Amino acid sequence: MGQSFMVEPGSDISGRIRMSEGDSVGDSIHGKPSVVGAFFTRIGQVYQSWLDKSTPFYAARWASTLLLTAVYMIRVYILQGWYIVTYALGIYHLNLFIAFLSPKVDPSMLDEDEGPSLPTKQNEEFRPFIRRLPEFKFWHSATKGIVIAMICTFFEAFNVPVFWPILVMYFIMLFCITMKRQIKHMVKYRYLPFTHGKRTYKGKDETGKAFAS
């Protein structure tokens, strides 16, 4: 006959049992990542790699975004719905555009004699315009917004019935008011949201005067 024995709570054997159980639980929690996690990690790495490669191709990136926008608008026109999604997409793009035109540092927060000044026509020294939203992030966010809006058109839950001419009127009014405020801000603080690079002097012409390119 087998003999049974009791393990006292404070004995060394009880401590070893608890440690072995803790090690097994820790291995299950802090073990190797799952196959699904590794798959999504790999997808994110490939996606980021393609984004890095597309950085210098300004025209191709924006052409693809415009083409995607045209496809989305045609789809909305054919389906005759999802106007509230389109309105939200327009407001989102307007906010991105305003951030693209705005300086990274608000000039109203700087004193006139302190801090870096913004590039103006009167500036003799070249100072590039630093945007609050860089061009690449502007393109990436705008493209993602269009993709998300396109996905929403496949779900009837987002097709909220609304009188679309009112949304168009609201958007035009909001666009005009926002752009008017932005232009006033540019005129007040005398900055240009676009820079074309530093002027370079190539040499002298026949008259002996230096000319710039």
Side-chain angles (χ1 to χ4, degrees):
M1 294 179 63
Q3 295 180 356
S4 61
F5 60 93
M6 299 294 293
V7 178
E8 296 181 1
S11 62
D12 296 338
I13 299 176
S14 176
R16 293 192 186 98
I17 294 175
R18 287 197 299 269
M19 290 178 62
S20 62
E21 292 177 351
D23 293 341
S24 61
V25 174
D27 291 341
S28 62
I29 296 176
H30 303 288
K32 296 181 180 180
S34 62
V35 178
V36 177
F39 173 76
F40 283 105
T41 301
R42 179 57 181 169
I43 292 296
Q45 292 174 351
V46 174
Y47 178 71
Q48 186 61 43
S49 176
W50 279 102
L51 285 180
D52 296 338
K53 292 178 180 179
S54 65
T55 301
F57 303 102
Y58 302 97
R61 288 191 283 106
W62 283 105
S64 62
T65 301
L66 292 177
L67 179 61
L68 186 63
T69 304
V71 172
Y72 171 78
M73 297 303 295
I74 293 174
R75 176 173 173 79
V76 171
Y77 177 76
I78 294 176
L79 296 177
Q80 293 294 313
W82 287 271
Y83 299 120
I84 195 68
V85 175
T86 306
Y87 177 75
L89 179 64
I91 296 298
Y92 178 66
H93 282 177
L94 179 60
N95 291 331
L96 292 177
F97 184 62
I98 294 300
F100 176 73
L101 295 179
S102 302
K104 184 176 182 180
V105 179
D106 191 355
S108 62
M109 304 297 294
L110 300 175
D111 295 332
E112 296 182 357
D113 298 331
E114 296 181 0
S117 61
L118 295 169
T120 62
K121 293 182 178 180
Q122 290 77 18
N123 284 352
E124 297 180 358
E125 182 181 354
F126 175 74
R127 294 184 179 90
F129 182 80
I130 302 177
R131 306 180 185 279
R132 187 170 60 180
L133 182 66
E135 181 271 335
F136 184 81
K137 290 185 177 181
F138 177 32
W139 166 80
H140 189 215
S141 300
T143 306
K144 286 195 302 183
I146 298 172
V147 173
I148 294 174
M150 184 79 72
I151 294 174
C152 290
T153 58
F154 290 93
F155 298 93
E156 191 66 28
F158 296 101
N159 188 16
V160 180
V162 66
F163 188 57
W164 66 266
I166 295 181
L167 295 181
V168 174
M169 182 181 65
Y170 282 167
F171 180 78
I172 292 176
M173 292 177 57
L174 183 62
F175 178 82
C176 294
I177 294 173
T178 305
M179 291 305 301
K180 181 180 179 180
R181 186 187 302 115
Q182 183 66 26
I183 293 175
K184 285 184 176 180
H185 190 269
M186 293 165 54
V187 172
K188 180 179 180 180
Y189 295 101
R190 297 180 299 173
Y191 68 89
L192 302 175
F194 302 101
T195 54
H196 302 284
K198 187 176 181 179
R199 299 179 63 185
T200 57
Y201 293 90
K202 296 182 178 180
K204 297 182 179 180
D205 57 8
E206 297 179 356
T207 59
K209 297 181 179 179
F211 61 94
S213 59

